[in-house]
């Protein structure tokens, strides 16, 4: 018996001995060649050239990324699993090999190259292609759904004082590497006393309930920021023009500017009142932001978005948590449309402002969503007015008709409204007007759908994407593994690939 046949028999024996709880490993072993086929492995080879005498094939590293995410392992633990777990060895084709064919550095470099070439997105696409081969559903016309969920950031969220201190420490560490001067020496020469203790607040040692002491402490901290910049100008002027010192200094300046301002009453600087738009909240992950999934719940980090059809995830996006819900819709729908024509789109109302949604509606796609709600406090809302888009007119509840003006503006005459018998139910504002949205035709239909039994039944079908998001949450978790939106998007893509492969396994089992 040849060596290859003997090895195949060993693989089959190991696969047959796996318990039901390990069925994903067996399925990944069964389809690994299909997953890497159709040019995907060639694309991996073209983007990543492993180092070493016996380099690990990129296709194997792609499988490692899936296994690593499936078990939630660190890079170090992934290396150990490859050496000691027969299930991993079965999938990777390394049964009997006691030394992992890759190291932690290999995984870091491989993820970097995958992101640079969007191969994590290609991996997700490959799982969809495997699902299409089952022939369980048609792909000519799609019902696509979008949704998002919070992803808590991995960076430490800090207040203004600690953010400035953390940014100063970054500059000092970068300077030490670039100019070859010990950090303690830089701190001493620049007079950075706030960096000499365990924390900035410990170094300041003030009564935080005393407003005057807080102001003096802030002034002292910002004075040391200026002293650090002066040291850079004197000792590292050339280095400050290039990376990474340029970025470190830029971060320090941005944090100081976003959170402080001159006191209008004199007496030096003060902490800004309110929150600066797009405020950096973590020095260790500068892309993290404050965000809200609802009015009552705030979180810090990112939002992960997915687009699905046929219970499969077609596209993903990870954006800072403060970005408006509809911003990723363009890229999500563009990717989804590559798999087939979008005939129906199920979305949350947060995606409605997207121009991509507007274009789909104009092209004849059915948009399923709840319309934006208008708070009325007991008064009339826009829904009480009859809007005739063909005649370009609006009729109020009292029967008065007004033409729609420029930019959709509609204004009713004050003298007529003053004598109206329904005045007490109308707006209390002096100016009695409303605006017709550029997507008003869609909004009118959405409101009408909500009033019908069939319309409400169609809206409930969006629950499929909520279930997929829940599955992603189970695989990826609620907290980001990496720092930065693109790294976390890779993590989301491999999580989505796992969810899709589990669906493919179900489809094949039911064949």
């Amino acid at each position: 018996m040849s060596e290859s046949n003997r090895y195949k028999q060993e693989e089959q024996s190991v696969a047959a001995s796996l318990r039901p709880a390990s069925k994903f490993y067996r399925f990944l072993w069964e389809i690994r060649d299909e997953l890497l086929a159709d040019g995907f492995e060639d694309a991996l080879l073209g983007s990543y050239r492993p180092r070493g005498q016996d380099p690990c094939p990129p296709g194997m590293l792609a499988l490692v990324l899936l296994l690593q995410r499936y078990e939630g392992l660190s890079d170090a633990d992934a290396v150990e699993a490859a050496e000691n777990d027969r299930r991993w060895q079965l999938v990777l084709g390394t049964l009997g090999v006691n030394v992992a064919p890759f190291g932690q550095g290999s995984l870091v470099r491989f993820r970097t190259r995958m992101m640079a070439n969007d191969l994590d997105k290609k991996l997700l696409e490959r799982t969809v292609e495997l699902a299409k081969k089952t022939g369980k559903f048609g792909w000519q016309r799609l019902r696509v759904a979008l949704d998002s969920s919070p992803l808590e950031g991995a960076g430490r969220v800090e207040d203004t004082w600690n953010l400035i201190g953390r940014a100063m420490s970054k500059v000092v560490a970068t300077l030490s590497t670039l100019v070859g001067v010990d950090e303690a020496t830089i701190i001493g020469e620049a007079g950075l006393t706030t960096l000499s203790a365990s924390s900035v607040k410990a170094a300041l040692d003030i009564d935080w309930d005393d407003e005057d002491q807080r102001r003096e402490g802030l002034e002292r901290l910002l004075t040391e920021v200026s002293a650090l910049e002066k040291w850079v100008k004197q000792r590292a002027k050339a280095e400050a023009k290039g990376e990474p010192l340029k970025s470190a200094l830029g971060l320090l300046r941005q944090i100081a500017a976003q959170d402080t301002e001159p006191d209008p009453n004199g007496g030096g600087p003060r902490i800004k009142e309110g929150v600066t738009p797009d405020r950096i909240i973590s020095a260790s992950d500068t892309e993290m932001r404050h965000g809200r999934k609802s009015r009552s719940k705030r979180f810090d980090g990112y939002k992960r978005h997915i687009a699905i059809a046929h219970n499969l995830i077609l596209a993903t996006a990870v954006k800072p948590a403060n970005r408006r819900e509809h911003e990723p819709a363009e890229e999500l729908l563009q990717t989804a449309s590559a798999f087939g024509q979008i005939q129906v789109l199920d979305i949350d109302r947060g995606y409605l402002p997207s121009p991509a949604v507007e274009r789909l509606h104009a092209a004849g796609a059915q948009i399923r969503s709840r319309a934006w709600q208008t708070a009325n406090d007991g008064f009339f809302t826009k829904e009480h007015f009859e809007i005739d888009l063909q005649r370009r007119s609006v009729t109020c509840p009292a029967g008065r008709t007004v033409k729609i003006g420029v930019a959709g503006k509609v204004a009713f005459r004050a003298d007529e409204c003053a004598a109206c018998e329904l005045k007490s139910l109308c707006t209390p504002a002096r100016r009695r007007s409303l605006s017709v949205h550029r997507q008003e035709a869609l909004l009118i239909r959405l409101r009408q759908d909500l009033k019908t039994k069939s319309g409400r039944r169609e809206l409930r079908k969006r629950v499929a994407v909520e279930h997929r998001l829940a599955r992603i949450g189970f695989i990826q978790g609620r907290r980001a593994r990496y720092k930065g939106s693109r790294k976390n998007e890779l993590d989301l893509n491999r999580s989505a690939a796992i969810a899709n492969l589990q669906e493919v396994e179900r489809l094949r089992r039911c064949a």
Side-chain angles (χ1 to χ4, degrees):
M1 181 183 296
S2 68
E3 188 67 28
S4 61
N5 287 337
R6 187 179 295 109
Y7 185 80
K8 286 180 180 179
Q9 283 191 354
E10 185 180 1
E11 282 192 330
Q12 291 168 355
S13 175
V14 171
S17 67
L18 292 181
R19 297 178 181 273
S22 298
K23 65 180 181 180
F24 180 72
Y25 299 91
R26 174 169 182 156
F27 181 67
L28 197 53
W29 164 68
E30 290 173 349
I31 56 92
R32 66 185 178 191
D33 292 336
E34 286 184 75
L35 184 63
L36 298 173
D38 299 330
F40 182 45
E41 189 165 26
D42 292 337
L44 292 171
L45 283 166
S47 67
Y48 178 75
R49 297 294 179 184
R51 303 174 185 175
Q53 295 179 340
D54 297 307
C56 179
M60 181 187 292
L61 291 177
L63 295 172
V64 170
L65 290 189
L66 293 176
L67 292 171
Q68 181 187 27
R69 176 68 276 173
Y70 182 72
E71 292 195 11
L73 301 182
S74 66
D75 290 347
D77 290 337
V79 173
E80 183 175 352
E83 292 178 345
N84 300 300
D85 192 325
R86 285 208 309 169
R87 298 171 305 174
W88 276 58
Q89 293 174 353
L90 173 67
V91 173
L92 302 181
T94 59
L95 285 173
V97 179
N98 296 322
V99 178
F102 59 88
Q104 296 180 54
S106 301
L107 294 178
V108 173
R109 290 190 295 271
F110 183 66
R111 286 195 297 268
T112 300
R113 296 308 302 164
M114 284 198 80
M115 289 185 291
N117 295 275
D118 287 337
L119 291 175
D120 54 319
K121 299 178 182 179
K122 179 67 175 176
L123 173 62
L124 179 59
E125 180 186 326
R126 287 295 305 141
T127 65
V128 178
E129 293 298 330
L130 292 182
K132 292 174 73 172
K133 289 181 180 179
T134 65
K136 290 291 185 178
F137 24 63
W139 287 85
Q140 295 301 314
R141 297 183 178 182
L142 300 180
R143 181 165 193 151
V144 172
L146 309 183
D147 205 357
S148 70
S149 65
L151 184 63
E152 298 174 7
R156 180 189 297 179
V157 179
E158 297 176 301
D159 62 15
T160 298
W161 308 85
N162 288 320
L163 273 177
I164 293 176
R166 192 80 59 184
M168 289 174 66
S169 296
K170 270 193 168 187
V171 172
V172 171
T174 305
L175 281 170
S176 178
T177 302
L178 289 177
V179 301
V181 178
D182 186 78
E183 290 185 29
T185 301
I186 298 173
I187 290 172
E189 290 181 356
L192 309 180
T193 60
T194 53
L195 298 186
S196 60
S198 58
S199 70
V200 167
K201 290 186 175 180
L204 291 173
D205 191 24
I206 62 176
D207 180 358
W208 295 98
D209 293 326
D210 188 305
E211 185 177 347
D212 290 335
Q213 289 193 41
R214 289 202 311 272
R215 184 171 59 250
E216 290 171 3
L218 181 60
E219 187 170 5
R220 175 184 163 190
L221 182 59
L222 294 179
T223 297
E224 294 194 6
V225 170
S226 298
L228 178 56
E229 292 207 63
K230 183 178 180 181
W231 195 96
V232 171
K233 188 174 182 181
Q234 292 174 345
R235 301 284 300 274
K237 188 174 183 180
E239 290 84 351
K241 296 179 181 178
E243 299 297 347
L245 184 55
K246 182 179 179 180
S247 293
L249 286 168
L251 175 63
L252 174 59
R253 292 162 185 157
Q254 186 175 351
I255 289 174
Q258 75 178 10
D259 286 353
T260 65
E261 63 182 2
D263 191 332
N265 299 318
R270 71 173 186 180
I271 302 293
K272 279 185 180 178
E273 296 181 1
V275 179
T276 302
D278 208 35
R279 178 179 180 269
I280 294 173
I281 60 176
S282 172
S284 58
D285 185 353
T286 58
E287 294 182 47
M288 285 175 52
R289 294 294 185 269
H290 293 311
R292 290 188 180 277
K293 186 59 180 173
S294 67
R295 290 186 178 182
S296 60
K297 288 191 175 181
R298 198 194 81 175
F299 66 97
D300 301 315
Y302 300 90
K303 279 186 182 178
R304 53 188 167 196
H305 301 254
I306 64 171
I308 75 161
H310 297 310
N311 216 33
L312 294 160
I313 300 170
L314 309 183
T316 71
V318 172
K319 302 295 179 185
N322 67 334
R323 297 288 180 84
R324 291 175 296 178
E325 191 85 351
H326 71 270
E327 289 186 21
E330 185 83 41
E331 58 184 285
L332 291 170
L333 292 174
Q334 183 177 2
T335 301
S337 63
F339 294 98
Q341 182 183 1
I342 300 176
Q343 188 176 33
V344 180
L345 178 64
D346 295 311
I347 54 175
D348 183 85
R349 62 178 67 126
Y351 292 100
L352 280 174
S354 170
V357 173
E358 187 175 356
R359 289 196 301 271
L360 275 176
H361 179 245
Q366 290 291 312
I367 309 299
R368 301 293 183 184
S369 172
R370 294 180 180 273
W372 295 308
Q373 290 182 325
T374 306
N376 61 0
D377 297 324
F379 297 103
F380 290 140
T381 65
K382 185 188 285 187
E383 290 88 290
H384 292 95
F385 291 73
E386 182 182 336
I387 301 174
D388 191 329
L389 296 176
Q390 289 187 334
R391 297 182 179 180
R392 299 285 299 170
S393 66
V394 174
T395 302
C396 75
R400 293 183 176 86
T401 300
V402 176
K403 288 292 184 181
I404 299 174
V406 178
K409 299 296 182 182
V410 179
F412 293 87
R413 289 177 54 180
D415 57 338
E416 291 183 347
C417 291
C420 180
E421 59 184 9
L422 299 179
K423 180 181 177 181
S424 61
L425 297 175
C426 200
T427 175
R430 291 180 58 189
R431 186 178 181 83
R432 297 173 183 270
S433 63
L434 59 81
S435 296
V436 176
H437 197 272
R438 70 173 190 274
Q439 296 191 60
E440 198 65 48
L442 171 59
L443 297 174
I444 290 172
R445 190 186 63 74
L446 295 182
R447 296 187 194 105
Q448 292 172 344
D449 287 347
L450 192 57
K451 296 176 182 178
T452 67
K453 193 171 184 178
S454 61
R456 292 190 294 272
R457 183 174 61 249
E458 288 297 314
L459 282 176
R460 287 194 292 271
K461 292 181 179 180
R462 201 178 73 88
V463 71
V465 70
E466 296 172 355
H467 290 165
R468 287 291 86 190
L469 264 181
R471 187 62 191 163
I472 286 294
F474 179 80
I475 296 170
Q476 189 182 22
R478 297 175 57 186
R479 185 173 176 83
R481 186 179 188 89
Y482 303 106
K483 296 174 182 178
S485 57
R486 185 62 184 93
K487 289 181 180 180
N488 284 309
E489 189 172 86
L490 175 141
D491 196 34
L492 176 56
N493 278 324
R494 65 176 174 176
S495 301
I498 290 170
N500 282 355
L501 287 173
Q502 291 173 329
E503 180 66 11
V504 172
E505 192 273 337
R506 185 189 68 82
L507 291 170
R508 290 191 176 185
R509 188 176 67 249
C510 297

